[in-house]
């Protein structure tokens, strides 16, 4: 039996659990599409790799020998699918360079490329980085580009080429089906008072995006929200989407600013752990976009705090633009009023929008694998039934996630020490103290390795 192999490239190696949820969701969508196309499951292989398949070392040295693994993976594939990652980022990240080199290798081996529901930064015809990306995306191996946020820029990247583009849903909108076996740590239906999920972020995300909002400002905002929730008798739960820098901030709230440890999940490391937290909440306030998207998938009303254009873009796409609040509205009473309205309205979903990510992915695969056959994509109801369910994070996978985070945490502090940037004591500054947090993280991570 002929084998069909898809090389899937996502941000699977990110500590941000939202990216891990995307990976699992895209794998499930790909397998459903293969069945839809009449490809036997035993002959359809999805090899999932990090979108950073082009290594950091290669990017800094240009040593072609470092591309051996990427070449092997791309050359053996029938299709390369970039799934749900911010692949065109060039403003303060260099991911676009990796995307360019991956497309160049795909062209070298004649392997068609699909970009599915990716993050796109605005096209800028005065920026050499944006123009270099545009040049790569016009190559003949690129067969389709769909985005979850900026269709106008996507169209400009490939203008005049005939490459199909579309604005589609995020793969994670199907997390409720893919992860349906994951139960909440505490079922909201069994409680007498509401529990609100508070999803914090790293302090540096605001200056990185030109927002004058300091670490102290974020801390005071969350403490104010907690005070108001407590005063009205509601419960709350603080957590992150797993990014180590976000955990630094949350750890400081618990260690030095009076937040009860039992009210916070400082370290999360798997999709199940994040989904358990979200499903235990009646409503969510989040800086991280994929906390909002996953909440939406599970019909949990949420408020997104806008630090990047992608946040309001998502809420507009699901017809709740008023649930994305700009920094001028980051006041406890304003945010909680918005959340109360959202919880009273609930969550409604548009079927056509929901299935758009699947229909376009199906169309792209069909055009490559079975271009002459007349096959219709599944309906939304059929798709939900056919989507393979997530098997769970194995002990080995969990330990690898923990090791990766531990390596990154050590690297973070080594960089701090090398730059002589270790913070003064908390008593002097009110900020996170790296040495004490490192000891805490080391303990938690090593405990996780024994899971």
């Amino acid at each position: 039996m002929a084998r069909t192999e898809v090389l899937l490239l996502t941000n699977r190696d990110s500590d941000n659990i939202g990216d891990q949820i995307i990976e699992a969701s895209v794998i499930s969508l790909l397998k459903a599409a293969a069945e839809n196309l009449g490809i036997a499951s035993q002959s359809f292989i999805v090899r999932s790799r990090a979108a950073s398949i082009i290594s950091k070392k290669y990017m800094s040295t240009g040593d072609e020998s470092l591309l051996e693994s990427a070449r092997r993976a791309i050359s053996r594939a029938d299709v390369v699918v970039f799934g749900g990652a911010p692949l065109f980022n060039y403003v303060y990240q260099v991911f676009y360079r990796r995307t360019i080199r991956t497309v160049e290798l795909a062209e070298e081996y004649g392997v068609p490329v699909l970009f599915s529901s990716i993050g796109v930064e605005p096209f800028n015809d005065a920026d050499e980085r944006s123009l270099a990306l545009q040049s790569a995306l016009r190559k003949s191996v690129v067969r389709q580009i769909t985005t979850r946020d900026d269709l106008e820029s996507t169209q400009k990247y490939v203008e005049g080429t005939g490459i199909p583009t579309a604005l589609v849903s995020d793969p994670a909108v199907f997390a409720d089906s893919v992860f349906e076996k994951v139960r909440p740590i505490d079922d909201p239906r069994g409680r007498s008072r509401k529990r609100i999920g508070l999803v914090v972020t790293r302090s540096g995300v605001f200056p990185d995006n030109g927002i004058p909002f300091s670490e102290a400002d974020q801390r005071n905002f969350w403490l104010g929200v907690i005070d108001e929730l407590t005063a009205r008798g509601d419960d709350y739960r603080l957590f992150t989407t797993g990014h180590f820098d976000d955990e630094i901030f949350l750890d400081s709230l618990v260690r030095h600013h009076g937040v009860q440890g039992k009210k916070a999940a400082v370290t999360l490391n798997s999709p199940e752990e994040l989904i358990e937290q979200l499903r235990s909440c009646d409503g969510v306030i989040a800086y991280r976009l994929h906390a909002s998207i996953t909440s939406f998938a599970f019909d949990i009303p949420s408020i997104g705090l806008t630090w990047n254009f992608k946040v309001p873009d998502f809420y507009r796409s699901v017809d709740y633009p008023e649930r994305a609040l700009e920094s001028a509205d980051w006041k406890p009473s304003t945010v909680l009023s918005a959340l109360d309205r959202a919880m009273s309205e609930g969550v409604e979903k548009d079927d056509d929008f929901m299935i758009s990510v699947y229909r376009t992915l199906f169309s792209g695969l069909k055009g490559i694998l079975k271009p002459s056959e007349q096959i219709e994509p599944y309906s939304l109801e059929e798709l939900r039934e056919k989507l393979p369910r997530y098997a769970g994070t194995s002990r080995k996978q969990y330990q690898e996630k923990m090791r990766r985070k531990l390596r990154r945490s050590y690297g973070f502090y080594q960089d701090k020490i090398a730059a002589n940037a270790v913070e003064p004591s908390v008593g002097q500054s009110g900020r996170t103290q790296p040495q004490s947090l490192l000891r805490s993280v080391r303990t938690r991570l090593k405990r996780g390795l024994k899971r």
Side-chain angles (χ1 to χ4, degrees):
M1 184 178 294
R3 187 174 70 176
T4 300
E5 183 168 317
V6 173
L7 174 61
L8 173 63
L9 301 177
T10 69
N11 273 0
R12 70 187 301 268
D13 64 338
S14 172
D15 292 340
N16 190 334
I17 295 168
D19 291 313
Q20 299 171 27
I21 291 174
I22 287 175
E23 180 202 19
S25 298
V26 178
I27 290 173
S28 187
L29 288 167
L30 285 168
K31 290 182 176 180
E35 182 178 344
N36 199 166
L37 288 168
I39 301 173
S41 59
Q42 62 266 32
S43 65
F44 185 77
I45 297 172
V46 179
R47 297 195 187 277
S48 183
R49 296 281 298 272
S52 54
I53 190 172
I54 307 298
S55 71
K56 185 182 294 186
K57 191 171 182 180
Y58 168 79
M59 299 306 299
S60 63
T61 66
D63 181 353
E64 289 292 311
S65 68
L66 298 172
L67 291 178
E68 182 179 345
S69 175
R71 286 183 177 278
R72 186 166 55 250
I74 293 169
S75 64
R76 68 188 291 179
D78 295 288
V79 187
V80 173
V81 176
F82 287 91
L87 300 164
F88 293 7
N89 284 13
Y90 64 87
V91 176
Y92 63 90
Q93 296 180 4
V94 295
F95 222 110
Y96 78 102
R97 293 175 57 204
R98 287 170 157 165
T99 301
I100 290 171
R101 194 70 183 102
T102 304
V103 172
E104 290 172 345
L105 291 178
E107 182 184 43
E108 183 177 332
Y109 293 105
V111 180
V113 176
L114 302 175
F115 290 89
S116 179
S117 189
I118 60 168
V120 176
E121 285 187 336
F123 175 74
N124 183 350
D125 61 8
D127 192 304
E128 292 182 358
R129 299 169 297 179
S130 188
L131 292 174
L133 183 57
Q134 182 187 53
S135 178
L137 296 174
R138 290 168 172 263
K139 295 186 181 299
S140 61
V141 291
V142 178
R143 302 295 181 83
Q144 181 191 79
I145 306 177
T146 66
T147 179
R148 62 193 184 208
D149 43 50
D150 190 345
L151 179 59
E152 182 179 357
S153 285
T154 302
Q155 292 170 333
K156 288 179 180 178
Y157 276 114
V158 296
E159 191 171 19
T161 64
I163 295 172
T165 61
L167 181 68
V168 301
S169 55
D170 189 287
V173 300
F174 288 104
D176 58 328
S177 293
V178 177
F179 293 92
E180 72 173 1
K181 296 179 181 179
V182 178
R183 308 261 64 87
I185 55 174
D186 180 15
D187 193 332
R189 294 171 297 183
R191 292 196 307 266
S192 59
R193 57 178 181 157
K194 290 185 174 68
R195 174 182 289 168
I196 307 303
L198 311 178
V199 185
V200 310
T201 189
R202 63 184 178 92
S203 57
V205 77
F206 308 112
D208 282 347
N209 288 272
I211 299 174
F213 198 72
S214 68
E215 179 176 341
D217 290 332
Q218 186 185 182
R219 180 170 61 247
N220 291 334
F221 166 72
W222 289 121
L223 293 176
V225 169
I226 290 169
D227 285 344
E228 291 205 17
L229 289 172
T230 302
R232 69 191 208 179
D234 286 342
D235 193 12
Y236 62 90
R237 183 77 171 170
L238 289 124
F239 47 98
T240 76
T241 56
H243 196 288
F244 174 68
D245 286 353
D246 297 4
E247 292 176 353
I248 290 176
F249 176 79
L250 180 51
D251 183 88
S252 73
L253 289 179
V254 174
R255 284 175 165 267
H256 309 296
H257 298 289
V259 172
Q260 298 177 55
K262 66 181 182 180
K263 298 290 189 182
V266 175
T267 300
L268 300 180
N269 301 289
S270 70
E272 297 97 312
E273 289 177 338
L274 176 59
I275 290 170
E276 285 169 355
Q277 295 292 334
L278 290 170
R279 294 201 66 192
S280 299
C281 297
D282 299 279
V284 171
I285 301 169
Y287 278 110
R288 286 294 185 182
L289 177 59
H290 271 90
S292 293
I293 296 174
T294 308
S295 295
F296 173 80
F298 283 97
D299 298 323
I300 304 164
S302 67
I303 295 297
L305 304 175
T306 300
W307 54 270
N308 181 286
F309 69 90
K310 299 176 189 297
V311 177
D313 279 355
F314 165 71
Y315 280 94
R316 278 194 294 270
S317 74
V318 296
D319 296 326
Y320 290 115
E322 72 283 0
R323 297 185 186 183
L325 300 184
E326 300 290 338
S327 57
D329 292 322
W330 294 351
K331 303 176 181 64
S333 58
T334 302
V335 174
L336 286 173
S337 292
L339 180 62
D340 288 340
R341 287 193 296 273
M343 289 191 295
S344 68
E345 295 168 357
V347 173
E348 294 186 6
K349 299 172 182 175
D350 179 87
D351 289 354
D352 286 339
F353 170 74
M354 289 289 291
I355 203 169
S356 59
V357 64
Y358 175 74
R359 283 178 175 161
T360 52
L361 185 58
F362 170 86
S363 175
L365 289 172
K366 179 182 177 299
I368 295 166
L369 302 176
K370 296 202 172 182
S372 61
E373 297 194 20
Q374 299 297 313
I375 307 172
E376 293 298 317
Y378 289 141
S379 67
L380 181 59
E381 183 178 350
E382 289 172 325
L383 176 61
R384 286 199 177 277
E385 179 184 341
K386 297 290 187 178
L387 283 172
R389 273 37 177 180
Y390 184 67
T393 302
S394 69
R395 184 173 184 273
K396 181 179 179 181
Q397 290 169 334
Y398 193 90
Q399 288 181 327
E400 178 51 37
K401 295 176 193 294
M402 300 293 284
R403 290 189 185 97
R404 185 169 61 233
K405 186 178 285 190
L406 183 57
R407 288 195 300 269
R408 289 177 178 171
S409 69
Y410 279 128
F412 174 87
Y413 286 106
Q414 287 167 351
D415 291 344
K416 282 275 192 180
I417 292 168
N420 293 317
V422 173
E423 302 287 354
S425 69
V426 171
Q428 293 172 325
S429 69
R431 292 169 60 87
T432 305
Q433 186 175 9
Q435 301 99 320
S436 63
L437 177 58
L438 180 57
R439 288 193 295 270
S440 170
V441 169
R442 183 188 296 126
T443 299
R444 289 196 302 272
L445 293 179
K446 288 183 176 177
R447 186 181 301 128
L449 289 175
K450 298 177 181 178
R451 181 183 181 217

